[in-house]
Amino acid sequence: MICALGSAVCFGTASVLQAVAARAAAGPGSGSGVDPALLLRAVRQWRYMAGLALDGCGFVLQIIALRSLPIYAVGAALAASLAVTAVVAARLLHVRLSRTEWAAVGVVCAGLAMLGLASGGEGHRTGSTALRWWMLGIALGVLLIGAAAGRLPEKSRALMLGLGAGCGFGVVEVAVRLIDDVSPSALVANPATYALLLGGGAAFLLLTSALQRGSVTTATAGMVIGETIGPALVGVVWLGDRTREGLGWLAVTGFAVAVAGALALTRFGEAPADTPGPAVPGAQ
């Protein structure tokens, strides 16, 4: 669980840096859909690169956590990165949190504590070949969601971009569990390898676009739902994830509480742009 929480800290801090960079990279002629050029402009800024470095550290910790914890526990911990983002924004960017938002941070922590007490070990099922191909198909679907989002009204567009990003990150969570042999020949032959790469890349592209366009609160809510509920169900139904004996109710309660608390903090998907505060030194 320590690795899962460490991953949440990395992702939560990175989101503050990437949100600033995504807004700064938006040009006057930016369109409404997914814009690969936006990502290219964003990576030229040190804040975005620092955020990517933290994302890399978080991803490594996430892989370690997924090798020892059920997917539902790791997914809830990753959703809790919004609580980290809120605290980082409050401390470093002087963003003011309301009492309700501080309470939501506490709710997230309480939910994670329940999950920590109730979680068993990871399931020992390796997953079927069909499930691996399904993950690759879903990863391709994430790209189609991004392509279709540009034709939707603003509110629907933000929800679709966020949900697509969340599904992409969810594919990564499941794909890590479906890769049981890391030898080069096995990796090349495993559809889950391509699902992981495609899902992760598509999720970053959609998330970068969601940070710059539309309602960030709506987009972030969609992302939290996409990266938690679906992967948790796959872990329980197809990969054998279980709880400690007699504590299934506590795990379900903890998962629901942690996700609900994260949803209450969705505006911190882009705290620097949504809340007035002092200028960020060196902002471009």
Side-chain angles (χ1 to χ4, degrees), residues 207-228:
L207 180 58
T208 301
S209 297
L211 287 173
Q212 190 270 330
R213 299 182 174 89
S215 168
V216 175
T217 297
T218 302
T220 307
M223 184 184 70
V224 169
I225 293 171
E227 72 178 351
T228 54

PDB file of all heavy atoms in Angstrom, residues 207-228:
ATOM      1  N   LEU A 207      -5.811  13.460 -21.601  1.00  0.00           N
ATOM      2  CA  LEU A 207      -5.763  14.231 -20.359  1.00  0.00           C
ATOM      3  C   LEU A 207      -5.173  15.614 -20.593  1.00  0.00           C
ATOM      4  O   LEU A 207      -5.649  16.610 -20.047  1.00  0.00           O
ATOM      5  CB  LEU A 207      -4.944  13.472 -19.311  1.00  0.00           C
ATOM      6  CG  LEU A 207      -4.812  14.163 -17.941  1.00  0.00           C
ATOM      7  CD1 LEU A 207      -6.189  14.426 -17.337  1.00  0.00           C
ATOM      8  CD2 LEU A 207      -3.969  13.326 -16.998  1.00  0.00           C
ATOM      9  N   THR A 208      -4.123  15.698 -21.427  1.00  0.00           N
ATOM     10  CA  THR A 208      -3.538  16.998 -21.738  1.00  0.00           C
ATOM     11  C   THR A 208      -4.561  17.906 -22.409  1.00  0.00           C
ATOM     12  O   THR A 208      -4.660  19.099 -22.096  1.00  0.00           O
ATOM     13  CB  THR A 208      -2.308  16.833 -22.656  1.00  0.00           C
ATOM     14  OG1 THR A 208      -1.343  16.016 -22.003  1.00  0.00           O
ATOM     15  CG2 THR A 208      -1.675  18.187 -22.969  1.00  0.00           C
ATOM     16  N   SER A 209      -5.359  17.354 -23.322  1.00  0.00           N
ATOM     17  CA  SER A 209      -6.404  18.130 -23.982  1.00  0.00           C
ATOM     18  C   SER A 209      -7.501  18.516 -22.994  1.00  0.00           C
ATOM     19  O   SER A 209      -8.026  19.631 -23.039  1.00  0.00           O
ATOM     20  CB  SER A 209      -7.006  17.328 -25.145  1.00  0.00           C
ATOM     21  OG  SER A 209      -6.031  17.074 -26.129  1.00  0.00           O
ATOM     22  N   ALA A 210      -7.854  17.599 -22.083  1.00  0.00           N
ATOM     23  CA  ALA A 210      -8.901  17.891 -21.107  1.00  0.00           C
ATOM     24  C   ALA A 210      -8.488  18.996 -20.144  1.00  0.00           C
ATOM     25  O   ALA A 210      -9.320  19.790 -19.702  1.00  0.00           O
ATOM     26  CB  ALA A 210      -9.240  16.619 -20.323  1.00  0.00           C
ATOM     27  N   LEU A 211      -7.195  19.075 -19.815  1.00  0.00           N
ATOM     28  CA  LEU A 211      -6.713  20.117 -18.912  1.00  0.00           C
ATOM     29  C   LEU A 211      -6.837  21.498 -19.526  1.00  0.00           C
ATOM     30  O   LEU A 211      -6.907  22.499 -18.822  1.00  0.00           O
ATOM     31  CB  LEU A 211      -5.244  19.859 -18.552  1.00  0.00           C
ATOM     32  CG  LEU A 211      -4.958  18.705 -17.598  1.00  0.00           C
ATOM     33  CD1 LEU A 211      -3.468  18.470 -17.483  1.00  0.00           C
ATOM     34  CD2 LEU A 211      -5.561  18.977 -16.232  1.00  0.00           C
ATOM     35  N   GLN A 212      -6.846  21.558 -20.867  1.00  0.00           N
ATOM     36  CA  GLN A 212      -6.846  22.846 -21.557  1.00  0.00           C
ATOM     37  C   GLN A 212      -8.225  23.269 -22.045  1.00  0.00           C
ATOM     38  O   GLN A 212      -8.465  24.435 -22.291  1.00  0.00           O
ATOM     39  CB  GLN A 212      -5.854  22.790 -22.727  1.00  0.00           C
ATOM     40  CG  GLN A 212      -5.558  24.124 -23.405  1.00  0.00           C
ATOM     41  CD  GLN A 212      -6.514  24.418 -24.557  1.00  0.00           C
ATOM     42  OE1 GLN A 212      -7.002  23.496 -25.200  1.00  0.00           O
ATOM     43  NE2 GLN A 212      -6.785  25.681 -24.806  1.00  0.00           N
ATOM     44  N   ARG A 213      -9.150  22.317 -22.160  1.00  0.00           N
ATOM     45  CA  ARG A 213     -10.422  22.624 -22.791  1.00  0.00           C
ATOM     46  C   ARG A 213     -11.601  22.228 -21.914  1.00  0.00           C
ATOM     47  O   ARG A 213     -11.594  21.198 -21.287  1.00  0.00           O
ATOM     48  CB  ARG A 213     -10.550  21.895 -24.135  1.00  0.00           C
ATOM     49  CG  ARG A 213      -9.471  22.299 -25.120  1.00  0.00           C
ATOM     50  CD  ARG A 213      -9.696  21.583 -26.440  1.00  0.00           C
ATOM     51  NE  ARG A 213      -8.744  22.067 -27.420  1.00  0.00           N
ATOM     52  CZ  ARG A 213      -7.548  21.538 -27.592  1.00  0.00           C
ATOM     53  NH1 ARG A 213      -7.160  20.535 -26.846  1.00  0.00           N
ATOM     54  NH2 ARG A 213      -6.736  22.025 -28.507  1.00  0.00           N
ATOM     55  N   GLY A 214     -12.639  23.067 -21.941  1.00  0.00           N
ATOM     56  CA  GLY A 214     -13.891  22.718 -21.316  1.00  0.00           C
ATOM     57  C   GLY A 214     -13.842  22.746 -19.799  1.00  0.00           C
ATOM     58  O   GLY A 214     -12.972  23.354 -19.177  1.00  0.00           O
ATOM     59  N   SER A 215     -14.809  22.081 -19.185  1.00  0.00           N
ATOM     60  CA  SER A 215     -14.912  22.027 -17.735  1.00  0.00           C
ATOM     61  C   SER A 215     -13.951  20.983 -17.184  1.00  0.00           C
ATOM     62  O   SER A 215     -14.117  19.782 -17.401  1.00  0.00           O
ATOM     63  CB  SER A 215     -16.346  21.662 -17.326  1.00  0.00           C
ATOM     64  OG  SER A 215     -16.407  21.342 -15.955  1.00  0.00           O
ATOM     65  N   VAL A 216     -12.927  21.452 -16.472  1.00  0.00           N
ATOM     66  CA  VAL A 216     -11.938  20.529 -15.918  1.00  0.00           C
ATOM     67  C   VAL A 216     -12.559  19.672 -14.824  1.00  0.00           C
ATOM     68  O   VAL A 216     -12.208  18.501 -14.656  1.00  0.00           O
ATOM     69  CB  VAL A 216     -10.716  21.312 -15.396  1.00  0.00           C
ATOM     70  CG1 VAL A 216      -9.737  20.389 -14.705  1.00  0.00           C
ATOM     71  CG2 VAL A 216     -10.036  22.021 -16.544  1.00  0.00           C
ATOM     72  N   THR A 217     -13.508  20.246 -14.056  1.00  0.00           N
ATOM     73  CA  THR A 217     -14.183  19.465 -13.018  1.00  0.00           C
ATOM     74  C   THR A 217     -14.904  18.273 -13.627  1.00  0.00           C
ATOM     75  O   THR A 217     -14.805  17.141 -13.147  1.00  0.00           O
ATOM     76  CB  THR A 217     -15.187  20.355 -12.261  1.00  0.00           C
ATOM     77  OG1 THR A 217     -14.482  21.404 -11.612  1.00  0.00           O
ATOM     78  CG2 THR A 217     -15.942  19.553 -11.224  1.00  0.00           C
ATOM     79  N   THR A 218     -15.630  18.506 -14.723  1.00  0.00           N
ATOM     80  CA  THR A 218     -16.336  17.426 -15.406  1.00  0.00           C
ATOM     81  C   THR A 218     -15.364  16.401 -15.971  1.00  0.00           C
ATOM     82  O   THR A 218     -15.570  15.186 -15.853  1.00  0.00           O
ATOM     83  CB  THR A 218     -17.205  17.999 -16.539  1.00  0.00           C
ATOM     84  OG1 THR A 218     -18.130  18.938 -15.991  1.00  0.00           O
ATOM     85  CG2 THR A 218     -17.967  16.903 -17.262  1.00  0.00           C
ATOM     86  N   ALA A 219     -14.286  16.878 -16.595  1.00  0.00           N
ATOM     87  CA  ALA A 219     -13.297  15.975 -17.183  1.00  0.00           C
ATOM     88  C   ALA A 219     -12.638  15.101 -16.121  1.00  0.00           C
ATOM     89  O   ALA A 219     -12.448  13.899 -16.307  1.00  0.00           O
ATOM     90  CB  ALA A 219     -12.236  16.777 -17.940  1.00  0.00           C
ATOM     91  N   THR A 220     -12.291  15.706 -14.989  1.00  0.00           N
ATOM     92  CA  THR A 220     -11.610  14.965 -13.936  1.00  0.00           C
ATOM     93  C   THR A 220     -12.549  13.944 -13.295  1.00  0.00           C
ATOM     94  O   THR A 220     -12.126  12.842 -12.938  1.00  0.00           O
ATOM     95  CB  THR A 220     -11.057  15.922 -12.874  1.00  0.00           C
ATOM     96  OG1 THR A 220     -10.264  16.919 -13.509  1.00  0.00           O
ATOM     97  CG2 THR A 220     -10.190  15.179 -11.868  1.00  0.00           C
ATOM     98  N   ALA A 221     -13.818  14.300 -13.149  1.00  0.00           N
ATOM     99  CA  ALA A 221     -14.789  13.341 -12.619  1.00  0.00           C
ATOM    100  C   ALA A 221     -14.884  12.120 -13.531  1.00  0.00           C
ATOM    101  O   ALA A 221     -14.900  10.976 -13.066  1.00  0.00           O
ATOM    102  CB  ALA A 221     -16.158  14.010 -12.475  1.00  0.00           C
ATOM    103  N   GLY A 222     -14.927  12.380 -14.845  1.00  0.00           N
ATOM    104  CA  GLY A 222     -14.953  11.269 -15.787  1.00  0.00           C
ATOM    105  C   GLY A 222     -13.708  10.407 -15.684  1.00  0.00           C
ATOM    106  O   GLY A 222     -13.780   9.171 -15.763  1.00  0.00           O
ATOM    107  N   MET A 223     -12.546  11.038 -15.499  1.00  0.00           N
ATOM    108  CA  MET A 223     -11.296  10.297 -15.388  1.00  0.00           C
ATOM    109  C   MET A 223     -11.292   9.398 -14.149  1.00  0.00           C
ATOM    110  O   MET A 223     -10.883   8.238 -14.199  1.00  0.00           O
ATOM    111  CB  MET A 223     -10.112  11.257 -15.351  1.00  0.00           C
ATOM    112  CG  MET A 223      -8.758  10.555 -15.344  1.00  0.00           C
ATOM    113  SD  MET A 223      -7.374  11.697 -15.194  1.00  0.00           S
ATOM    114  CE  MET A 223      -7.560  12.245 -13.499  1.00  0.00           C
ATOM    115  N   VAL A 224     -11.742   9.942 -13.007  1.00  0.00           N
ATOM    116  CA  VAL A 224     -11.763   9.162 -11.765  1.00  0.00           C
ATOM    117  C   VAL A 224     -12.651   7.935 -11.928  1.00  0.00           C
ATOM    118  O   VAL A 224     -12.286   6.817 -11.528  1.00  0.00           O
ATOM    119  CB  VAL A 224     -12.256  10.036 -10.591  1.00  0.00           C
ATOM    120  CG1 VAL A 224     -12.534   9.178  -9.366  1.00  0.00           C
ATOM    121  CG2 VAL A 224     -11.216  11.097 -10.256  1.00  0.00           C
ATOM    122  N   ILE A 225     -13.829   8.123 -12.532  1.00  0.00           N
ATOM    123  CA  ILE A 225     -14.746   6.993 -12.738  1.00  0.00           C
ATOM    124  C   ILE A 225     -14.132   5.960 -13.680  1.00  0.00           C
ATOM    125  O   ILE A 225     -14.184   4.751 -13.430  1.00  0.00           O
ATOM    126  CB  ILE A 225     -16.082   7.506 -13.293  1.00  0.00           C
ATOM    127  CG1 ILE A 225     -16.798   8.349 -12.229  1.00  0.00           C
ATOM    128  CG2 ILE A 225     -16.968   6.352 -13.740  1.00  0.00           C
ATOM    129  CD1 ILE A 225     -18.013   9.076 -12.731  1.00  0.00           C
ATOM    130  N   GLY A 226     -13.519   6.447 -14.773  1.00  0.00           N
ATOM    131  CA  GLY A 226     -12.958   5.530 -15.763  1.00  0.00           C
ATOM    132  C   GLY A 226     -11.796   4.705 -15.249  1.00  0.00           C
ATOM    133  O   GLY A 226     -11.637   3.536 -15.636  1.00  0.00           O
ATOM    134  N   GLU A 227     -10.971   5.272 -14.359  1.00  0.00           N
ATOM    135  CA  GLU A 227      -9.772   4.562 -13.913  1.00  0.00           C
ATOM    136  C   GLU A 227      -9.980   3.729 -12.657  1.00  0.00           C
ATOM    137  O   GLU A 227      -9.040   3.079 -12.200  1.00  0.00           O
ATOM    138  CB  GLU A 227      -8.628   5.553 -13.683  1.00  0.00           C
ATOM    139  CG  GLU A 227      -8.776   6.428 -12.458  1.00  0.00           C
ATOM    140  CD  GLU A 227      -7.596   7.354 -12.237  1.00  0.00           C
ATOM    141  OE1 GLU A 227      -6.576   7.207 -12.934  1.00  0.00           O
ATOM    142  OE2 GLU A 227      -7.702   8.235 -11.366  1.00  0.00           O
ATOM    143  N   THR A 228     -11.195   3.743 -12.076  1.00  0.00           N
ATOM    144  CA  THR A 228     -11.412   3.000 -10.834  1.00  0.00           C
ATOM    145  C   THR A 228     -12.416   1.864 -10.977  1.00  0.00           C
ATOM    146  O   THR A 228     -12.097   0.705 -10.688  1.00  0.00           O
ATOM    147  CB  THR A 228     -11.886   3.951  -9.711  1.00  0.00           C
ATOM    148  OG1 THR A 228     -13.048   4.686 -10.165  1.00  0.00           O
ATOM    149  CG2 THR A 228     -10.787   4.922  -9.321  1.00  0.00           C
TER     150      THR A 228
END
